[in-house]
Amino acid sequence: MNNETTTSSNNQTPTLKRALGVGTGVLLVAGMMIGSGVFKKIVPMAQTGLSEGWIVAAWIGAGIITMFGAFTIAGLANLTEESGGVYEYLRLSFGNFFSFLFGWTDFTTIGCASIAALGFIFAQTVNVFVPLGNPFQSLEHLSIAGFIFPFADSGIKLLAIAVIVLLTWVNYRGVQNGGLINNIITSAKILGILLLIILGLSYSGAGTTQQVITNEPTQELHGMALFSAVLAAMLSAFWAYDGWSNISFIAGEIKNPKRNIPIAIMSGVAIAMLLYVLVNVAYMHVLPLQALKAIDQSQIGAAVVAETLLGKVGQTLIVLLIMISVFGAINGIILAHARIYYRMAQEKFFFKKAANVHPVYRTPSVALLYTMIWSCILVISGTFDMLTNMVIFAGFLFYSLVAIALFKMKRNGTIKAKVIGYPVIPAIITLFSIALLINTVLTQPKQSIIGAALVISGVLFYFYFKGKAK
């Protein structure tokens, strides 16, 4: 079979085109990871009560766990060259049931809710420069079930929807278009973060800052309190690292995916990890933890740091950088996640038309439209904040299954290639995922119940699609 997938000579069903090289793959991984988290998470991390050293350790620890996950996905990439990534690996390892639960959870929560939330964040950032108003203010009191207010913040919601529609249109017209936009935006935001690192680490006020930290008494954490605080900080970091596995979803459009997907994931994670650790060291070099703790939740930690460095100009530049980063992350998520639903439909476990490939643009056009529609509904509903709180919970639930899948496929001889760190690394991923899930259930029982309910809701749809397939 030709690796450059094309429409057959008999003019039968068009297929996806392998158009993306390893360079674009690396920038896609980095681009989907670097969104708003790297600019906003220093404040909640400072509020955990941890010292500077422990905060840096939390970023490094989360980065190492993420890299371990990358090694695991790299091992499973030997299974197939089809689109779908984690969905496809779970399908080949455990069958349709668990793979469908992952795909359904991604559609309802992980993928589309992330698009909706990032669209809203982008629009909120634009609102700082250009007030978007509230065109439907007279209707904002109307609600569905008393907690969904579709007309609240209507100006911000309308722009968020417009951005999602625009980027869906770009990706609808060809995977190369989405890849090109990602390359440009990701390069720009990496340069922007590097500039912030250089300015922050060379900040001449560091001596005064250090004096404040030394002289102000702080209560050191010990035992379980320290463990819980480190886990809370790592949860914040994981939101910033999230998105590293998305490149596997578009394996059907990557050239030589069995080689290039592992390279792209490991390189992209390494770039993001290095930037995250250095920029957070820069934040704490410019402002003491006491000052970072005091930043209001409505403010962005990186913007306050940049204002300290460059005044109002610095604050404006950071807000622009966040806009660029979020815009690029939305583009990457739209590009990647629609391929999961496309692959599910191919296996007759999703709405049938989602398996269609555009005859001219060679993209999963209907799956992209389904992704756009549900993401826009989540924007209108305003419930996506609750949903995205469960992204990490749901993600690690399935990462543990992915690690177990690697054990299974290595043991039965399906994967014969050497896997970095096997069997120690997938064992660590499994144990860490279980510990994180247990900690989340104990500390956030309400959110855990909601997350579990969303996953379990997929069981009914599984039997619905299974019945239709028969």
Side-chain angles (χ1 to χ4, degrees):
M1 179 177 168
N2 191 341
N3 216 22
E4 189 68 32
T5 314
T6 57
T7 307
S8 70
S9 58
N10 296 328
N11 289 324
Q12 293 176 350
T13 306
T15 54
L16 301 178
K17 182 180 180 182
R18 297 197 186 278
L20 303 177
V22 67
T24 296
V26 172
L27 290 176
L28 271 170
V29 174
M32 285 184 276
M33 291 174 70
I34 303 170
S36 62
V38 66
F39 305 108
K40 299 178 74 172
K41 290 301 181 182
I42 184 60
V43 174
M45 291 175 89
Q47 291 170 348
T48 59
L50 294 171
S51 66
E52 288 184 357
W54 279 113
I55 289 174
V56 172
W59 280 103
I60 294 173
I64 290 171
I65 293 293
T66 302
M67 186 62 81
F68 284 177
F71 293 154
T72 303
I73 292 290
L76 288 168
N78 290 287
L79 285 175
T80 179
E81 295 188 350
E82 295 285 352
S83 295
V86 173
Y87 167 81
E88 189 67 3
Y89 306 150
L90 292 176
R91 188 184 72 82
L92 293 171
S93 302
F94 303 118
N96 289 319
F97 180 72
F98 286 108
S99 62
F100 176 81
L101 284 185
F102 168 77
W104 184 255
T105 304
D106 190 276
F107 182 69
T108 57
T109 309
I110 298 172
C112 292
S114 295
I115 293 168
L118 289 171
F120 199 84
I121 291 169
F122 177 83
Q124 281 181 316
T125 310
V126 171
N127 194 46
V128 172
F129 293 108
V130 182
L132 298 173
N134 192 359
F136 300 115
Q137 188 172 5
S138 61
L139 301 174
E140 66 180 358
H141 65 283
L142 298 177
S143 70
I144 300 171
F147 69 95
I148 296 174
F149 294 86
F151 298 105
D153 300 315
S154 55
I156 289 172
K157 287 180 179 178
L158 286 171
L159 179 59
I161 290 169
V163 168
I164 292 168
V165 172
L166 170 65
L167 289 174
T168 300
W169 176 77
V170 169
N171 284 280
Y172 185 99
R173 293 177 61 85
V175 69
Q176 287 168 298
N177 294 333
L180 178 61
I181 285 181
N182 174 82
N183 291 353
I184 295 169
I185 291 176
T186 301
S187 299
K189 58 188 177 184
I190 288 174
L191 289 172
I193 293 172
L194 285 172
L195 178 61
L196 183 59
I197 290 168
I198 292 167
L199 290 173
L201 293 180
S202 60
Y203 178 56
S204 61
T208 306
T209 298
Q210 187 61 43
Q211 188 67 31
V212 174
I213 295 171
T214 304
N215 290 342
E216 184 165 328
T218 56
Q219 185 176 358
E220 289 189 18
L221 299 174
H222 300 282
M224 285 304 298
L226 176 61
F227 177 76
S228 183
V230 171
L231 260 186
M234 288 181 73
L235 275 173
S236 292
F238 280 128
W239 172 250
Y241 281 111
D242 192 52
W244 57 271
S245 64
N246 291 356
I247 187 69
S248 68
F249 303 153
I250 57 172
E253 291 148 289
I254 297 283
K255 298 172 183 176
N256 193 6
K258 289 185 178 180
R259 171 187 175 272
N260 290 339
I261 284 178
I263 292 173
I265 290 178
M266 288 185 278
S267 301
V269 169
I271 290 169
M273 183 178 172
L274 181 63
L275 291 175
Y276 287 177
V277 171
L278 289 177
V279 80
N280 278 276
V281 170
Y283 294 154
M284 293 183 288
H285 185 73
V286 174
L287 292 175
L289 283 180
Q290 290 76 21
L292 291 168
K293 280 182 196 176
I295 294 173
D296 189 81
Q297 296 243 340
S298 63
Q299 293 180 294
I300 297 166
V304 176
V305 170
E307 186 177 7
T308 304
L309 290 168
L310 300 170
K312 290 294 181 184
V313 173
Q315 185 183 41
T316 302
L317 289 174
I318 283 297
V319 173
L320 285 171
L321 182 57
I322 292 171
M323 283 174 57
I324 292 168
S325 297
V326 172
F327 190 82
I330 298 169
N331 176 71
I333 295 172
I334 289 172
L335 187 155
H337 284 256
R339 273 65 182 177
I340 302 175
Y341 323 136
Y342 159 78
R343 184 65 184 140
M344 290 169 71
Q346 282 188 316
E347 293 299 314
K348 297 181 172 57
F349 277 92
F350 201 63
F351 304 106
K352 182 179 178 181
K353 289 189 176 180
N356 291 357
V357 173
H358 196 283
V360 177
Y361 303 127
R362 307 279 292 285
T363 56
S365 50
V366 178
L368 281 164
L369 292 177
Y370 284 163
T371 305
M372 179 191 77
I373 291 166
W374 182 239
S375 299
C376 290
I377 289 171
L378 290 176
V379 169
I380 294 167
S381 73
T383 61
F384 50 81
D385 282 332
M386 176 187 70
L387 292 170
T388 51
N389 285 339
M390 304 316 304
V391 167
I392 301 303
F393 177 86
F396 271 92
L397 176 65
F398 289 104
Y399 289 152
S400 62
L401 279 178
V402 165
I404 294 168
L406 180 60
F407 278 116
K408 180 179 180 181
M409 302 312 260
K410 283 288 286 182
R411 282 193 168 189
N412 67 18
T414 304
I415 297 176
K416 295 182 172 64
K418 184 178 179 181
V419 177
I420 299 173
Y422 181 86
V424 175
I425 283 177
I428 291 172
I429 286 288
T430 304
L431 293 173
F432 181 85
S433 298
I434 292 169
L436 188 69
L437 290 169
I438 292 171
N439 184 72
T440 305
V441 169
L442 294 175
T443 58
Q444 301 177 29
K446 184 178 177 180
Q447 290 181 347
S448 300
I449 290 169
I450 293 169
L454 286 167
V455 175
I456 292 168
S457 72
V459 175
L460 296 174
F461 284 92
Y462 169 76
F463 287 109
Y464 167 76
F465 287 116
K466 185 178 181 181
K468 285 198 72 173
K470 285 183 178 179

